Amino acid sequence: MVEKLRAIAPDFDIVTEKHPPDDLLAHAEVVAGHLTPERFGIAKALRWNQLWTAGADADLPPRAVDSDVVLTTSAGNGAVPLAEHALLLMMMLNRDVPRWMAAQAARRWDRFRHGELAGSTVGIVGMGKAGRDLAVKCRAFHMRVLGLRNHQERSADGVDRMFGPADMTEFAALCDFLVVAAPLTETTRGIIGESVFAVMKPTAFVVNISRGEIVDDAAMLAAVTGGRIAGAGLDAHSEEPLPEDSPWWSLPNVVVTPHNGATTPETVVRAIDIFAENVARYATGRRLLNVVDKKAGYAPG
């Protein structure tokens, strides 16, 4: 990567340090990677901070929000595997794959009637790159696709109907699968809560591939254990790593994965490509990709 960056921006001094010393950080104009609030304060010459993550929720202390430093993310680097992971969780829940795995472990021939995705309705909360990729994939599975986004007027390929945040309960009531793909912001924190679960079908599932804090954990646990919804597929959790005593581990109608949906080699490659493109843009004075709206808390796209 370093040689690629030097070829793109030959006039830049490029230094690779996992934990750069304070004197180096104090003179850095560009930093790729997470900066704690304390480290951000040391970086007095900083003009641009590129994140290796798609979300910016961990990188917006007040000092960063109020500064002139441009913050960019790697949004889109994990969109493809996250959409695939959402489909995986949907199919595991729909066909009760844990039941098959238990039967395999017990060497038991256990045939039963299960569902199919075709003809069911998926609602995607958050129409960023992962949400849009999932919409197209779900359409290929012959599903009805609903989307929910801040700017309801903006359509997306594969989406049959778009909703706005004010329509959350109407949207949720229509879903057989409600997939959380939105960024974590002060607006989205806890938006999937008791009022949402109260209107969902008892046969419906929640799938979270984004951030655990977007879903009210206590409300979801009550809905899952009380039969108000059929179950959940969770790749994102309000506490990570998920504690050993968490009830989510042992519920028969819940599939847990360890925030692992986008950990592919290709995700890393795409993040590097996004950074390299941004270095080229920065060196020539062009607008950067994935610029975070620091008030909104994410990079619109």
Side-chain angles (χ1 to χ4, degrees):
M1 179 181 71
V2 173
E3 292 307 314
K4 182 177 183 178
L5 295 178
R6 285 181 176 142
I8 292 170
D11 296 332
F12 281 40
D13 291 325
I14 298 171
V15 180
T16 57
E17 289 277 357
K18 189 171 183 179
H19 301 290
D22 289 357
D23 59 339
L24 177 60
L25 185 60
H27 293 90
E29 182 178 331
V30 177
V31 171
H34 171 72
L35 289 173
T36 64
E38 293 74 23
R39 300 283 279 166
F40 186 89
I42 293 169
K44 301 296 186 183
L46 187 65
R47 295 176 60 189
W48 164 37
N49 182 197
Q50 168 81 25
L51 305 179
W52 295 117
T53 56
D57 47 282
D59 295 86
L60 287 172
R63 184 181 291 175
V65 172
D66 296 335
S67 78
D68 293 329
V69 174
V70 176
L71 186 66
T72 58
T73 73
S74 298
N77 65 327
V80 169
L82 282 174
E84 291 179 355
H85 200 73
L87 274 172
L88 168 71
L89 292 172
M90 290 161 63
M91 294 190 75
M92 289 183 73
L93 293 164
N94 182 249
R95 299 196 172 214
D96 199 356
V97 169
R99 176 173 168 175
W100 274 327
M101 298 305 293
Q104 180 178 343
R107 299 174 181 264
R108 185 177 67 251
W109 192 257
D110 184 16
R111 297 182 77 243
F112 57 92
R113 292 191 184 277
H114 54 74
E116 55 186 46
L117 296 185
S120 60
T121 297
V122 58
I124 306 170
V125 179
M127 296 306 298
K129 294 178 176 66
R132 295 199 300 273
D133 193 62
L134 177 59
V136 174
K137 286 177 166 64
C138 287
R139 177 59 70 85
F141 275 74
H142 312 294
M143 302 180 76
R144 181 188 181 210
V145 182
L146 310 178
L148 188 144
R149 69 189 318 174
N150 285 332
H151 298 284
Q152 182 180 353
E153 71 281 0
R154 293 170 60 185
S155 61
D157 290 345
V159 176
D160 295 287
R161 182 181 173 189
M162 196 72 75
F163 293 78
D167 308 316
M168 175 64 83
T169 53
E170 179 188 359
F171 165 87
L174 298 170
C175 296
D176 296 303
F177 297 90
L178 191 156
V179 180
V180 180
L184 176 63
T185 67
E186 288 310 306
T187 302
T188 62
R189 188 181 298 274
I191 58 167
I192 310 300
E194 189 173 349
S195 62
V196 172
F197 295 116
V199 301
M200 291 182 70
K201 304 173 186 178
T203 55
F205 297 94
V206 169
V207 170
N208 192 351
I209 57 168
S210 181
R211 294 290 188 270
E213 296 91 332
I214 296 174
V215 182
D216 182 326
D217 240 20
M220 180 166 59
L221 184 61
V224 169
T225 57
R228 285 158 56 191
I229 63 173
L234 306 175
D235 188 51
H237 314 275
S238 57
E239 184 177 359
E240 296 182 357
L242 196 62
E244 289 184 11
D245 61 354
S246 170
W248 297 118
W249 290 116
S250 56
L251 292 174
N253 53 344
V254 173
V255 176
V256 168
T257 55
H259 212 135
N260 213 184
T263 46
T264 67
E266 292 80 8
T267 293
V268 176
V269 171
R270 283 187 289 263
I272 292 171
D273 288 344
I274 291 168
F275 180 48
E277 173 62 23
N278 266 348
V279 169
R281 289 171 177 246
Y282 186 82
T284 53
R286 291 177 289 153
R287 178 171 172 79
L288 303 179
L289 300 174
N290 297 339
V291 175
V292 174
D293 178 336
K294 290 190 277 189
K295 297 298 184 184
Y298 66 100

